[in-house]
Amino acid sequence: MQTLKRSILVLLTLTFALVATGCGPSAEEVYFNNLNTAVTEYNDAMNEVAAQFEGRDASILTDQDWKDVTFAALDRLDAAGQVLASTPADQVPEKWVNLDNILVQVSEQTTVFTTTMKDALDAGDGDAMIASLDELQVVITLMQQAGDEINKVAP
């Protein structure tokens, strides 16, 4: 869960950076307004997933109601990740192409994480759940890269 909390912090930092750098040419404003909305939803979805695991132990794997709510939270996170990668390439301002490419990777890796976590939950496999957190670590690393890219390119 520490990993989830760290990722939420990175997402919040990214959100604040996006808001702070959202003043620029019209194409950049549109891009950042859309991206800010997407990052906020992603952050909210990540918080929802984190809340599902907060203070839980392996016995929760037998609780079908908990699983149903957790699957819904993971589906929301996956959908939010897809939105991060939804800007058509021709609408990404040139100086933010690298950021957009990183967000596409975040989207792809989020799908890997949510899929492996749902498979682990479905199988009731606590070890596989823990292993799926490796996929989450990749997401966290990519979000840190996104923050670095904003800091590098932002005026």
Side-chain angles (χ1 to χ4, degrees):
M1 290 310 100
Q2 192 68 312
T3 302
L4 286 174
K5 289 179 183 178
R6 197 172 338 135
S7 70
I8 291 166
L9 177 62
V10 170
L11 290 171
L12 285 173
T13 302
L14 178 60
T15 299
F16 291 133
L18 291 174
V19 170
T21 61
C23 57
S26 179
E28 287 186 18
E29 286 178 4
V30 170
Y31 178 75
F32 274 101
N33 285 337
N34 292 340
L35 191 55
N36 187 41
T37 300
V39 168
T40 299
E41 171 59 17
Y42 190 87
N43 182 51
D44 291 347
M46 184 66 78
N47 283 330
E48 185 178 356
V49 168
Q52 282 304 109
F53 291 94
E54 188 83 23
R56 309 289 184 184
D57 61 29
S59 68
I60 200 71
L61 292 174
T62 60
D63 182 339
Q64 190 59 47
D65 290 337
W66 176 84
K67 280 185 180 181
D68 291 344
V69 172
T70 302
F71 271 64
L74 289 165
D75 287 341
R76 179 182 178 200
L77 179 61
D78 190 35
Q82 297 305 309
V83 173
L84 288 176
S86 67
T87 303
D90 65 343
Q91 294 178 18
V92 176
E94 187 175 330
K95 76 179 197 176
W96 299 110
V97 168
N98 287 339
L99 172 63
D100 196 67
N101 289 335
I102 294 168
L103 293 175
V104 167
Q105 293 175 53
V106 168
S107 174
E108 292 167 352
Q109 195 60 41
T110 297
T111 297
V112 172
F113 164 67
T114 58
T115 301
T116 59
M117 181 58 82
K118 289 189 324 188
D119 289 348
L121 291 173
D122 220 12
D125 186 344
D127 291 336
M129 280 177 48
I130 292 169
S132 73
L133 295 177
D134 290 341
E135 307 301 338
L136 182 59
Q137 184 58 49
V138 175
V139 172
I140 293 166
T141 300
L142 288 166
M143 291 304 285
Q144 289 168 337
Q145 289 175 8
D148 292 346
E149 184 65 24
I150 288 170
N151 290 335
K152 181 174 82 176
V153 178

